[in-house]
């Protein structure tokens, strides 16, 4: 809690400072995880999921703005990626990427039910 040492002055031990920093870092990680369960940025779509500008415009439309980020709802992306037309479009891009980087992997997006469970667990 700190010790009062004079007018408006408190002293904190190194353990207290470390505990506070750890708590703040954990809160930040939890908030980031909650955000990642709800939204995906255009940059992540392109780098992690092999989307292009044209594909984004064609299937998702214009992105929303949240601060300086252009974002889409992760549920909308999941719905589009399940369509056969999209899978056919992605197949050659994925093959090309795998020829350059054999360890590349497109991670699955959790279903709505899984996302809700994770959100409840994190907000818990």
């Amino acid at each position: 809690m700190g010790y009062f040492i004079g007018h408006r002055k408190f002293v904190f031990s190194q353990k207290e400072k470390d505990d506070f920093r750890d708590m703040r870092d954990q809160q930040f990680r939890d908030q980031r995880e909650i955000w990642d369960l709800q939204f995906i940025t255009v940059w992540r779509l392109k780098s992690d999921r092999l989307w292009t500008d044209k594909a984004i415009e064609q299937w998702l439309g214009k992105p929303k703005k949240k601060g300086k980020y252009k974002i889409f709802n992760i549920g909308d992306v999941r719905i589009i990626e399940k369509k056969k037309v999209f899978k056919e479009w992605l197949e050659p891009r994925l093959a090309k990427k795998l020829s350059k980087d054999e360890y590349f992997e497109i991670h699955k997006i959790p279903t709505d039910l899984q996302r809700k469970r994770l959100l409840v667990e994190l907000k818990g």
Side-chain angles (χ1 to χ4, degrees):
M1 186 69 190
Y3 298 100
F4 180 72
I5 59 168
H7 182 68
R8 293 180 153 180
K9 294 183 182 175
F10 284 88
V11 176
F12 296 95
S13 71
Q14 190 61 41
K15 184 184 179 320
E16 288 174 315
K17 290 179 185 178
D18 291 342
D19 289 346
F20 181 75
R21 187 180 311 112
D22 292 343
M23 180 188 67
R24 194 176 60 223
D25 290 345
Q26 184 62 43
Q27 287 173 343
F28 176 78
R29 283 192 299 273
D30 289 347
Q31 289 172 350
R32 175 66 190 208
E33 203 168 327
I34 289 169
W35 194 91
D36 284 343
L37 286 171
Q38 296 172 342
F39 304 107
I40 189 166
T41 62
V42 170
W43 185 84
R44 289 250 183 247
L45 279 173
K46 290 179 179 180
S47 66
D48 297 350
R49 307 194 73 77
L50 302 179
W51 284 65
T52 61
D53 286 329
K54 186 176 178 182
I56 290 171
E57 186 179 314
Q58 179 182 354
W59 282 304
L60 292 172
K62 282 195 157 206
K64 299 175 196 166
K65 284 271 205 168
K66 191 158 190 149
K68 64 179 183 177
Y69 299 104
K70 296 176 185 176
I71 62 167
F72 289 101
N73 185 320
I74 197 98
D76 296 342
V77 173
R78 187 174 166 277
I79 290 169
I80 296 298
E81 287 186 350
K82 286 174 74 176
K83 292 184 177 181
K84 185 178 181 183
V85 177
F86 181 83
K87 288 179 182 178
E88 291 171 356
W89 173 84
L90 184 64
E91 197 173 313
R93 292 183 59 78
L94 185 57
K96 184 177 179 182
K97 181 70 173 180
L98 288 173
S99 70
K100 293 179 181 178
D101 179 9
E102 63 185 77
Y103 298 108
F104 180 78
E105 182 181 347
I106 295 179
H107 299 287
K108 291 187 177 182
I109 297 174
T111 63
D112 291 337
L113 183 59
Q114 290 169 334
R115 283 191 355 227
K116 286 177 185 175
R117 285 182 184 156
L118 289 169
L119 285 171
V120 167
E121 192 177 293
L122 286 171
K123 290 180 180 178

